[in-house]
């Protein structure tokens, strides 16, 4: 079996004495698209931020490609890990091109100077379903969905092996959300990148994930393939979470039956 690309080993994290994650253990294998779901405040964002060392565990270890992140230079670590969040966080005074090229530029990556930069940015814009002509625009001149896509292009720019996505489609309409979901599935399929994707939408979690992790109150409830979660929920919490989805699926299935 492949070595995990990310491993949580008995990780606990509290804020001001309030536990956010409790004795949390998890292996993520290379190429997985792990969707992470649970109620607001259950510890999803905390789990993501432990991976790129934006926060550090109180107990236990987080390993990325076998290295303890607590012992890894955080800047070098974050270069290997793309991070896309709901609020996107594009620099407003920089064009789309400069925003996307920002991490490669500060990391002095090869092949990001002059016309080569333009080429790379165009390729990334195409990869996320945008017209390369948008490269010269400023973020304020983009729609919300376009900004989300630019945020994803920026997270992919340095060629990371891991992409962390924290409710990246939370602020867009349903149609754009559906399109962005398809883009992510395509990027995952074509690049083989490992993705951790936080969502509060069970339908999205089960649609996108090769695996889905359900968290409640800082503890792992179940981590399995979506079909397994739907068919065999491991706890009452997971059963309650997937029940509406199961009902919707069975109605859809009945509707598809010939009359
Ligand atoms: N910097 C902080 N200081 C204090 N408490 C925090 C901090 N960050 C998170 N928490 C608390 O830790 C718990 C877990 O937070 P976290 O952001 O990981 O949850 P989440 O599952 O991502 O929530 P949401 O779905 O609402 O984004 C919550 O109770 C939250 O209030």
């Amino acid at each position: 079996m492949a070595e995990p690309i990310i491993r949580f080993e008995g990780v606990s994290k509290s804020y001001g004495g309030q536990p956010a994650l409790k004795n949390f253990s998890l292996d993520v294998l290379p190429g997985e698209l792990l969707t992470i779901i649970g109620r607001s405040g259950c510890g999803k964002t905390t789990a993501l931020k432990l991976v790129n060392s934006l926060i550090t565990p109180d107990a236990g270890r987080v390993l990325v490609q076998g290295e303890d992140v607590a012992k890894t230079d955080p800047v070098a670590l974050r270069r290997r890990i793309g991070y896309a969040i709901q609020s996107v966080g594009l620099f407003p005074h920089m064009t789309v091109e400069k925003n996307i090229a920002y991490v490669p530029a500060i990391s002095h990556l090869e092949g990001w100077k002059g016309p080569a930069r333009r080429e790379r940015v165009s390729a990334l814009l195409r990869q996320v379903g945008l017209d390369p002509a948008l490269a010269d625009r400023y973020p304020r001149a983009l729609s919300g969905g376009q900004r989300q896509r630019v945020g994803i292009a920026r997270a992919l720019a340095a060629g990371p092996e891991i992409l962390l996505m924290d409710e990246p489609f939370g602020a867009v309409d349903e149609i754009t959300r559906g399109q962005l979901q398809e883009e992510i599935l395509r990027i995952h399929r074509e690049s083989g990148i490992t993705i951790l994707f936080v969502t509060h939408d069970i339908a999205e979690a089960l649609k996108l994930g090769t695996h889905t992790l359900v968290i409640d109150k800082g503890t792992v409830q179940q981590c399995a393939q979506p079909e397994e979660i739907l068919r065999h929920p491991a706890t009452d919490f997971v059963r309650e979470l997937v029940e509406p989805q199961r009902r919707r699926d069975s109605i859809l299935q009945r509707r598809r039956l010939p009359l």
Side-chain angles (χ1 to χ4, degrees), residues 15-16 18-20 38-47 166-167 198 200:
Y15 300 100
Q18 287 294 319
R39 282 201 195 99
S40 181
C42 71
K44 303 182 292 295
T45 298
T46 299
D166 198 347
E167 303 220 25
V198 164
H200 63 266

Side-chain angles (χ1 to χ4, degrees), residues 107-235:
S107 313
H108 306 292
L109 287 191
E110 290 284 314
W112 278 90
K113 294 228 166 73
R117 179 173 94 176
R118 187 70 179 194
E119 275 302 303
R120 287 191 174 237
V121 168
S122 296
L124 281 160
L125 286 172
R126 272 188 227 104
Q127 198 182 354
V128 296
L130 287 177
D131 183 342
L134 293 182
D136 295 322
R137 289 221 195 144
Y138 285 86
R140 64 175 175 275
L142 299 175
S143 71
Q146 288 169 332
R147 255 181 256 143
Q148 291 291 349
R149 286 184 156 93
V150 173
I152 296 166
R154 186 179 59 173
L156 292 170
E161 285 171 55
I162 297 170
L163 178 59
L164 307 177
M165 308 188 82
D166 198 347
E167 303 220 25
F169 312 150
V172 293
D173 64 84
E174 274 307 304
I175 294 172
T176 308
R177 191 184 178 93
Q179 289 168 344
L180 285 165
Q181 289 171 345
E182 294 304 323
E183 300 293 350
I184 282 301
L185 286 174
R186 187 176 50 73
I187 288 167
H188 177 251
R189 207 170 40 239
E190 289 173 2
S191 68
I193 193 170
T194 306
I195 302 178
L196 268 56
F197 186 107
V198 164
T199 177
H200 63 266
D201 177 348
I202 183 66
E204 182 167 77
L206 297 172
K207 173 181 170 187
L208 295 187
T210 57
H211 295 76
T212 295
L213 166 68
V214 184
I215 307 182
D216 189 36
K217 300 191 190 99
T219 59
V220 174
Q221 296 287 304
Q222 189 168 11
C223 185
Q225 294 183 352
E227 302 75 31
E228 174 73 10
I229 291 199
L230 272 170
R231 284 204 197 113
H232 306 291
T235 65

Side-chain angles (χ1 to χ4, degrees), residues 46-59:
T46 299
L48 279 201
K49 287 183 172 173
L50 284 160
V51 176
N52 64 2
S53 207
L54 284 175
I55 54 178
T56 48
D58 301 331

